[in-house]
Amino acid sequence: MDAGATAEGGGHADLILGIESSCDETAAALLDRDGRVVASVVRSQIDLHRSFGGVVPEIAGRSHVEHMLPVVEETFARAGRKPSDLAAIAVTVQPGLIGSLLVGVSTAKAMALALGVPLVPVDHVAAHVHSCFHGVAEPEFPSACLVASGGHSTLFEVVSPTKHVKRGETIDDAAGEAFDKVAAILGLGYPGGPIVDRMAQAGDARRFKFPRSLMAKESLDFSFSGIKTAVLYHCRGQDGRGKRTLDEQEVRDVCAAFQEAVVDVLIEKLSRLAARIGARSIAVGGGVAANRRLRERAGQLAQERGVALRLAPRELTTDNAVMVAGLGRLLFAEGVRAGLDLDAHARAVAPAPSHSP
Ligand code: KG4
Ligand code: ZN
């Protein structure tokens, strides 16, 4: 236990509070001793960032300051419980926007000090991994798990509920970032993932062929900047500046072809990892895990391999605090604690519990 750790909560205190503020969602959740969700509140900032076409760190940080305490209060109000019922506070400490992370970490520390309950540090990407298994009584490990979001595209060998070993990651753009950028190129709005997903449903994925960056045969890393550039050239010519107008069907077909290329790469790497580790399940979490085609193809992969499928429930794909409280609860049971000197980190630093670099 770190120096300055807070005292253990006693009595009938049975709730775990999760706090999430790593990017553009201010979120809090309360779980009971068995991991059941008692209340969960997510306040998205999407409307604040939309006109900028992406998350503006300064605006995100300020909005977290404004909304964090009301979100925490609303979570307790919905649960009909009080802060004195807390057994522990789990908070996202890394990776993410530093100004945003600090709001959650400061709130968690202030509450821990005032209430005398322990603090549990949680890695955001590890929390996305957890979201795939939340509420599953006996998860099938080892699991080949993909976390694909706006900030991350990472493959994990999940050895146990709290031991996730990183096996691959993107060397440039994250998958969700590629969806967002392609939507911007096509003038479809922000965030692009859900819009491209919807447009692709009425599109013909075979009409255009965008590159699949699979890299070396044994590589488990990703690269999405080439696909994004190919879409840019397709729409605006080789200098990326042309102003060709695409009719609506072509926009749908580009969305479908782009999505198919991204999903092909994600599934190929997930399949390689599953084979390599003898996975007993295939898991997918993170914002991009909401994508219909990715969910479908992950299901096919699990079926082909004869293993279980663990897709994060849709409400836990994008950022939320249930996944933070959920992983925090398991780490708490293992004795993981942080002191009041707990700090936030924009990039993941070791040793982060449940996150082996
Ligand atoms: O997990 P998340 O809320 O935030 C990060 O940790 O980054 O993920 C947000 C990302 C955005 O890039 C968004 O466009 C993408 O997830 N996304 C999707 C879909 N829904 C959200 N991408 C593809 N298809 C979707 N249906
Ligand atoms: Zn996330």
Side-chain angles (χ1 to χ4, degrees):
M1 193 185 295
D2 293 76
T6 48
E8 302 287 316
H12 62 282
D14 63 337
L15 296 179
I16 310 281
L17 171 67
I19 293 180
E20 159 64 36
S21 68
S22 65
C23 189
D24 62 342
E25 267 90 25
T26 314
L30 286 166
L31 301 192
D32 69 14
R33 208 183 284 282
D34 300 319
R36 277 187 294 260
V37 181
V38 182
S40 168
V41 176
V42 180
R43 197 179 190 294
S44 172
Q45 304 174 359
I46 283 176
D47 291 341
L48 293 178
H49 301 289
R50 185 169 279 122
S51 62
F52 300 96
V55 177
V56 182
E58 182 67 26
I59 293 175
R62 268 189 261 149
S63 177
H64 285 302
V65 170
E66 195 180 329
H67 295 292
M68 181 55 80
L69 291 181
V71 162
V72 170
E73 280 163 8
E74 189 184 335
T75 309
F76 278 102
R78 282 196 199 174
R81 303 289 297 266
K82 353 182 245 320
S84 56
D85 296 337
L86 287 182
I89 301 172
V91 61
T92 302
V93 296
Q94 65 178 35
L97 301 171
I98 191 67
S100 294
L101 286 165
L102 281 169
V103 178
V105 171
S106 310
T107 305
K109 288 204 289 195
M111 288 184 71
L113 178 64
L115 299 164
V117 295
L119 270 177
V120 182
V122 170
D123 180 282
H124 180 80
V125 186
H128 274 301
V129 172
H130 172 83
S131 70
C132 304
F133 306 101
H134 188 74
V136 178
E138 288 182 23
E140 305 79 2
F141 296 132
S143 180
C145 178
L146 165 72
V147 173
S149 71
H152 318 279
S153 296
T154 313
L155 281 175
F156 291 98
E157 174 182 353
V158 185
V159 180
S160 77
T162 57
K163 187 157 193 283
H164 317 157
V165 184
K166 194 195 288 184
R167 293 289 184 211
E169 66 186 329
T170 183
I171 57 164
D172 43 51
D173 293 350
E177 191 180 351
F179 270 92
D180 294 338
K181 286 179 177 168
V182 161
I185 293 167
L186 294 168
L188 294 176
Y190 171 85
I195 310 173
V196 171
D197 186 350
R198 207 174 331 115
M199 299 290 281
Q201 280 203 295
D204 176 5
R206 289 160 307 179
R207 181 166 167 203
F208 306 112
K209 182 104 180 146
F210 294 120
R212 274 85 172 144
S213 206
L214 294 169
M215 297 177 284
K217 223 175 169 183
E218 46 315 319
S219 170
L220 292 174
D221 289 332
F222 300 106
S223 167
F224 293 112
S225 69
I227 301 179
K228 174 197 67 189
T229 308
V231 174
L232 180 73
Y233 288 171
H234 176 90
C235 299
R236 304 209 187 140
Q238 288 296 322
D239 63 358
R241 287 158 187 244
K243 279 239 180 317
R244 194 166 71 81
T245 312
L246 281 60
D247 66 38
E248 209 159 308
Q249 190 54 49
E250 184 169 355
V251 171
R252 292 196 195 104
D253 295 343
V254 168
C255 286
F258 158 77
Q259 177 177 276
E260 201 62 24
V262 172
V263 171
D264 266 355
V265 174
L266 293 173
I267 292 294
E268 167 63 24
K269 300 292 169 102
L270 194 51
S271 168
R272 286 182 192 177
L273 174 65
R276 201 165 303 175
I277 66 172
R280 293 180 56 232
S281 61
I282 300 286
V284 187
V288 182
N291 185 272
R292 273 169 275 215
R293 186 67 179 138
L294 179 58
R295 291 178 90 83
E296 186 182 14
R297 294 277 305 276
Q300 286 166 2
L301 175 61
Q303 206 166 24
E304 275 161 30
R305 298 196 59 82
V307 301
L309 177 65
R310 294 288 165 209
L311 297 174
R314 272 177 201 277
E315 68 278 13
L316 300 187
T317 53
T318 44
D319 290 347
N320 64 87
V322 169
M323 64 185 191
V324 178
L327 180 57
R329 173 180 157 268
L330 302 178
L331 295 169
F332 179 59
E334 289 180 358
V336 174
R337 304 287 185 272
L340 291 173
D341 55 352
L342 179 64
D343 213 349
H345 299 277
R347 286 175 178 276
V349 293
S354 77
H355 191 280
S356 313

